[in-house]
Amino acid sequence: MLSVKKAQERILASFKPLEGTTIAIEAALGCILSQDIISEIELPSFDNSSVDGFAVRTEDLHLSDANNPVSLLVTADIPAGSVPTVSLGAGQAARIMTGALLPTGADAVVMVEDTDFAHQTAGSSAPDHVKILAKVKKNDYIRKRGSDILTGQKILPAGLKLRPQDIGMLAMLGVPNVPVNKRPRVAIISSGDELVPVNVPLKPGKIHDSNTYMLAALVEILDCEVLQMGVAADRYEDVEILFDRAANFEPDLIISSAGVSVGAHDFIKDVVEASGSLNFWKVDMRPGKPLAFGAFQDIPFFGLPGNPVSSFVNFLVFVEPALRLLKGEKTALRQTTLVTLKEPIESDGRESYLRAQVTHENGRAIATLTGHQGSGNLFSLVQANALLIIPSGVKSCPPGSEVDAWILENH
Ligand code: AMP
Ligand code: MG
């Protein structure tokens, strides 16, 4: 039997990040940067005021404070976005707004609250004179050119998953088209004569197809593109048609659910083997069937189990790391967290992924199973916020013992 770790290693060894492309900044959230972002400009790109106030020359103001206000002649009014046309001479000031370019001659800004013009309202024009009521030091309230970012400085690293603040940074740097890794495109195929779509009432013997929708959601959470192929009936030709259709879209990955066990109507194996290759690995894991991994017409392929919880867990254990690697993320495998068991847990000695609710009590993460762990019981997964990972070889864990868990943050 193959350990989960070995199976993951074999899988990851057969994937490499997709090549880079560019995407409009508006669509870049969640994408992975394919290159370092190096600033081509300096920021701020000009000396500017960090407050609404008055641009001044400190040499005029050596003695100024609240008791000895110095009065200056206001010679200009500089709103944000404008270019001052005058330079400050001795005894002169300019009204200036936040973000406005500093006039030449000025070496500090006094905020409006520290002047006798403190109660300016929107639309008010600049006064003829202003009294400075505070001590003023050189460079006060000036954002210096280049003080945040220098030309040539590395700002964002390749491999970063773009967050809202990164999007803002790219805009600030003037990068409308962002170099990112291609988003993996994933074709999803379900199979089984018993499946009906969610909007069709159930008849005897039928069940709603839940994997189609759940697997699509799992793919979307990873910011990958879903190509929904539908449900194949349990006939060789039907399965073949859907696999051919999937291949025509040239996806980066095909995943199917169900139809890969030893049932009399399980044709996925035959179809994939006829146009590619398929390995069935006996993985030391629960829930889990043999893991079906191979290629259909050179497109990597995972055959997930049909039971929804098995499908979900196998996706997280094997498909998600592959997709993360394809996306160019730096870490393909999920992080684990240590949690403390509230109750005893029995296992059959295989590496087990158990549905649990983790709560925080007195600073400790305490785990309780969410009930019946049958591989078709999606309800106990819905009630869980974590999967406990009981290692291979462990058959029982007493209450109070610590085990690794995956916290299902986005799930
Ligand atoms: P199979 O691998 O085809 O034997 O399916 C195993 C179990 O998973 C059966 O009980 C199926 O009815 C169930 N199953 C298969 N596909 C789906 C699906 N798309 N949604 C929900 N259950 C499914
Ligand atoms: Mg089936």
Side-chain angles (χ1 to χ4, degrees):
M1 262 210 285
L2 205 59
S3 70
V4 170
K5 191 159 172 279
K6 271 269 170 312
Q8 284 170 329
E9 280 168 11
R10 280 196 195 174
I11 288 167
L12 291 178
S14 68
F15 287 94
K16 61 175 182 354
L18 300 178
E19 73 270 37
T21 179
T22 56
I23 193 165
I25 187 169
E26 294 87 345
L29 181 65
C31 293
I32 309 295
L33 272 184
S34 60
Q35 295 168 18
D36 292 343
I37 298 293
I38 310 292
S39 182
E40 290 177 6
I41 57 174
E42 50 184 351
L43 286 175
S45 46
F46 52 90
D47 292 353
N48 69 91
S49 175
S50 67
V51 293
D52 292 331
F54 289 85
V56 296
R57 297 152 27 102
T58 48
E59 61 189 283
D60 294 337
L61 299 170
H62 286 315
L63 301 173
S64 79
D65 64 25
N67 300 321
N68 304 294
V70 171
S71 185
L72 300 171
L73 179 68
V74 178
T75 56
D77 194 12
I78 313 168
S82 71
V83 177
T85 47
V86 295
S87 137
L88 292 192
Q92 295 182 345
R95 184 166 76 157
I96 190 164
M97 298 297 134
T98 307
L101 201 165
L102 206 71
T104 51
D107 62 1
V109 173
V110 181
M111 60 175 163
V112 74
E113 291 86 343
D114 289 335
T115 71
D116 67 341
F117 194 62
H119 302 295
Q120 70 177 356
T121 50
S124 66
S125 45
D128 296 336
H129 287 84
V130 65
K131 284 191 176 129
I132 306 300
L133 307 175
K135 285 202 181 309
V136 181
K137 294 191 310 300
K138 211 173 160 151
N139 293 329
D140 277 356
Y141 301 110
I142 294 177
R143 298 191 283 217
K144 279 287 198 196
R145 171 178 183 162
S147 58
D148 291 342
I149 284 172
L150 297 171
T151 306
Q153 193 174 340
K154 176 170 151 182
I155 307 302
L156 301 172
L160 178 72
K161 179 173 176 176
L162 292 169
R163 306 160 297 172
Q165 56 269 47
D166 305 319
I167 302 289
M169 189 76 245
L170 288 162
M172 209 177 242
L173 294 172
V175 181
N177 299 306
V178 185
V180 294
N181 292 330
K182 273 200 173 142
R183 270 195 340 153
R185 298 163 72 241
V186 182
I188 298 175
I189 297 172
S190 291
S191 67
D193 282 342
E194 73 280 31
L195 304 177
V196 295
V198 61
N199 55 347
V200 172
L202 294 179
K203 295 220 175 87
K206 304 290 182 190
I207 61 169
H208 284 129
D209 164 17
S210 47
N211 290 347
T212 289
Y213 306 94
M214 182 178 66
L215 291 171
L218 283 165
V219 169
E220 279 169 8
I221 269 189
L222 293 168
D223 294 309
C224 299
E225 193 179 321
V226 172
L227 303 166
Q228 203 57 272
M229 296 299 121
V231 178
D234 284 324
R235 293 188 329 147
Y236 185 94
E237 298 72 30
D238 240 72
V239 174
E240 191 179 38
I241 286 170
L242 285 205
F243 271 83
D244 283 338
R245 185 185 297 164
N248 282 337
F249 282 96
E250 299 182 1
D252 302 298
L253 184 66
I254 300 175
I255 55 183
S256 71
S257 71
V260 276
S261 36
V262 291
H265 304 279
D266 292 344
F267 293 110
I268 287 184
K269 178 174 185 289
D270 298 345
V271 168
V272 174
E273 277 175 342
S275 304
S277 61
L278 195 54
N279 297 299
F280 282 90
W281 295 332
K282 270 200 164 22
V283 182
D284 177 25
M285 170 184 167
R286 202 168 64 121
K289 290 250 177 119
L291 172 66
F293 176 62
F296 178 78
Q297 296 182 11
D298 294 330
I299 302 161
F301 164 73
F302 284 97
L304 300 178
N307 276 308
V309 177
S310 308
S311 216
F312 183 95
V313 172
N314 273 260
F315 184 98
L316 293 197
V317 176
F318 300 115
V319 184
E320 180 181 297
L323 286 176
R324 287 193 194 281
L325 200 154
L326 277 177
K327 287 174 69 185
E329 285 193 33
K330 282 196 206 114
T331 44
L333 298 178
R334 284 181 164 256
Q335 303 295 312
T336 57
T337 308
L338 271 186
V339 300
T340 305
L341 298 183
K342 183 141 192 158
E343 58 193 336
I345 283 182
E346 303 294 323
S347 166
D348 67 355
R350 284 186 284 169
E351 179 164 319
S352 299
Y353 291 76
L354 304 180
R355 287 146 260 173
Q357 178 66 232
V358 171
T359 54
H360 291 273
E361 293 171 23
N362 304 322
R364 288 201 315 166
I366 307 289
T368 330
L369 295 184
T370 52
H372 172 42
Q373 301 279 321
S375 56
N377 182 12
L378 203 53
F379 188 42
S380 60
L381 179 58
V382 165
Q383 291 168 293
N385 64 358
L387 290 175
L388 308 184
I389 307 171
I390 310 299
S392 169
V394 175
K395 295 208 161 162
S396 71
C397 303
S401 49
E402 286 192 319
V403 299
D404 278 335
W406 281 344
I407 303 299
L408 302 175
E409 264 159 10
N410 299 318
H411 298 90

